[in-house]
Amino acid sequence: DAMVIQNPRYQVTQFGKPVTLSCSQTLNHNVMYWYQQKSSQAPKLLFHYYDKDFNNEADTPDNFQSRRPNTSFCFLDIRSPGLGDAAMYLCATSSRQGIYGYTFGSGTRLTVV
Amino acid sequence: GQNIDQPTEMTATEGAIVQINCTYQTSGFNGLFWYQQHAGEAPTFLSYNVLDGLEEKGRFSSFLSRSKGYSYLLLKELQMKDSASYLCAVKDSNYQLIWGAGTKLIIKP
């Protein structure tokens, strides 16, 4: 089945230690998104790629970076995780205008110790 | 600013019907989505409305009134597995999804 895969499912990292979360898709969707979601809150868009075009949300901290080396893969790099960065990180994909909504990966639960 | 409002929490009884409301104010409108999210999991797509009216899909139905900036998700014959958060999201004029904070639905036996 075509899908969006996130690894790892759970990630524990030390305060200030760089961490990378990965996302891959077999849907051949043009657009890939990274969301941060904290408990009982709406998903917060961090950035998205429209093909290779990178779009950063204005309020996304510089601590968060992203790479999309090809259509299938997208990475979220957190350069110096703080305690406030503990959250669920969701990768999603959509076709060009997302008419049929987004397909989400299973998410990565990040814990910062 | 852009805003989506939905109740924080609702409680219903197994076998009953529940309606979860969503109101929105967004810059443009290109469709409204409902997603289900179980605790600790990713959202899963439930429904999509772009024209006014009711869309029925099994036990779940979704209604849209664009003039009122209003939608609801209707869940019938509630089952315990329906306990989850239900998120309303609107695609704005830039085709970006604006998310509500979700409604936590608690089903009691």
Side-chain angles (χ1 to χ4, degrees), chain A residues 4-23:
Chain A
V4 181
I5 300 168
Q6 288 188 245
N7 285 305
R9 187 74 186 269
Y10 300 94
Q11 175 75 55
V12 180
T13 191
Q14 291 180 333
F15 183 95
K17 185 175 180 181
V19 65
T20 295
L21 310 181
S22 73
C23 177

Side-chain angles (χ1 to χ4, degrees), chain A residues 5-109:
Chain A
I5 300 168
Q6 288 188 245
N7 285 305
R9 187 74 186 269
Y10 300 94
Q11 175 75 55
V12 180
T13 191
Q14 291 180 333
F15 183 95
K17 185 175 180 181
V19 65
T20 295
L21 310 181
S22 73
C23 177
S24 63
Q25 56 132 340
T26 58
L27 296 159
N28 205 31
H29 279 167
N30 303 93
V31 196
M32 294 186 79
Y33 307 82
W34 278 107
Y35 282 91
Q36 179 194 65
Q37 189 180 27
K38 297 187 177 180
S39 182
S40 301
Q41 296 184 19
K44 178 182 181 299
L45 182 64
L46 296 174
F47 18 61
H48 72 280
Y49 280 91
Y50 194 102
D51 293 321
K52 290 188 176 182
D53 293 334
F54 176 71
N55 297 273
N56 196 35
E57 293 302 299
D59 57 354
T60 299
D62 292 340
N63 197 27
F64 292 84
Q65 304 286 319
S66 183
R67 298 169 280 137
R68 189 180 186 185
N70 53 52
T71 302
S72 301
F73 286 88
C74 197
F75 300 96
L76 170 62
D77 301 307
I78 309 177
R79 294 194 293 189
S80 181
L83 297 178
D85 297 326
M88 173 78 89
Y89 289 87
L90 297 164
C91 174
T93 70
S94 72
S95 59
R96 192 167 294 276
Q97 288 182 336
I99 292 174
Y100 300 108
Y102 295 2
T103 302
F104 283 87
S106 56
T108 295
R109 169 75 63 185

Side-chain angles (χ1 to χ4, degrees), chain B residues 19-22 34 54 61-64 70-74:
Chain B
Q19 178 175 310
I20 303 174
N21 295 324
C22 170
W34 283 96
L54 188 68
S61 303
S62 56
F63 172 83
L64 174 68
Y70 168 71
S71 173
Y72 67 73
L73 180 69
L74 191 72

